[in-house]
Amino acid sequence: MDKPKIDIRLLFETLLKEMGPQGWWPAESKLEIILGAILVQNTNWSNVEKSLENLKVITQFSSHKIKRLSLEELELLIRPSGFYKNKAQTIKAVFDWFEQYNWDYQFINQQYGEKLREELLTIKGIGFETADVLLVYL
């Protein structure tokens, strides 16, 4: 028996309309959402908060400053989240991907449409849950 397909954006918009903002993802910017979605893989949110605070202090969540960090510097900043070597590589890959579109979320959505999830899953280190977070919150 096939599972019914769910449009994740439609589901989110319906929940938002019916329930109002719930503060489901604690972040002040889309870039912070991207980082949090990667860092929360296989760890708890309190560890992610430590890593995000480290990144905020050093980079002010500037994509250019994060991109200029060496892999070793990035690993040190996100170490509290665990699996920091893999997550640092994922952050670098995701930032490279977004940079090719000048971080234009609207253009990315228009470019890929229904295929965006499939495209996100091609980025090394992005799994189903992370791709879904990016689809919902970006």
Side-chain angles (χ1 to χ4, degrees):
M1 180 184 220
D2 289 335
K3 292 182 184 179
K5 284 200 164 209
I6 297 174
D7 181 326
I8 195 86
R9 172 60 65 184
L10 180 61
L11 176 61
F12 174 76
E13 289 171 2
T14 301
L15 288 169
L16 182 62
K17 180 181 171 189
E18 294 296 319
M19 300 173 68
Q22 301 292 302
W24 289 318
W25 196 274
E28 296 176 13
S29 69
K30 291 185 180 207
L31 190 97
E32 190 177 353
I33 291 170
I34 293 166
L35 290 166
I38 294 166
L39 294 172
V40 78
Q41 296 172 1
N42 299 308
T43 194
N44 63 55
W45 190 255
S46 65
N47 291 336
V48 173
E49 287 176 330
K50 294 171 190 169
S51 294
L52 288 173
E53 183 59 30
N54 291 343
L55 285 166
K56 185 176 183 178
V57 167
I58 299 300
T59 69
Q60 299 75 47
F61 294 132
S62 160
S63 62
H64 299 296
K65 289 180 181 179
I66 293 171
K67 187 99 167 71
R68 284 196 302 259
L69 292 171
S70 70
L71 198 56
E72 294 77 19
E73 290 169 319
L74 182 57
E75 288 172 358
L76 183 63
L77 293 172
I78 67 169
R79 191 178 190 108
S81 294
F83 302 97
Y84 57 91
K85 289 185 181 285
N86 291 340
K87 290 177 183 182
Q89 291 175 352
T90 299
I91 289 169
K92 292 286 192 180
V94 167
F95 275 48
D96 287 345
W97 188 85
F98 275 106
E99 191 173 75
Q100 70 183 334
Y101 300 104
N102 297 312
W103 295 86
D104 186 337
Y105 305 110
Q106 185 176 356
F107 176 79
I108 291 168
N109 280 315
Q110 291 171 346
Q111 180 78 14
Y112 288 100
E114 295 289 321
K115 303 251 184 220
L116 182 53
R117 184 174 195 264
E118 187 178 313
E119 175 65 19
L120 291 170
L121 290 170
T122 68
I123 302 171
K124 186 179 185 318
I126 297 298
F128 299 127
E129 290 180 30
T130 306
D132 291 341
V133 167
L134 298 178
L135 286 174
V136 168
Y137 292 103
L138 299 183

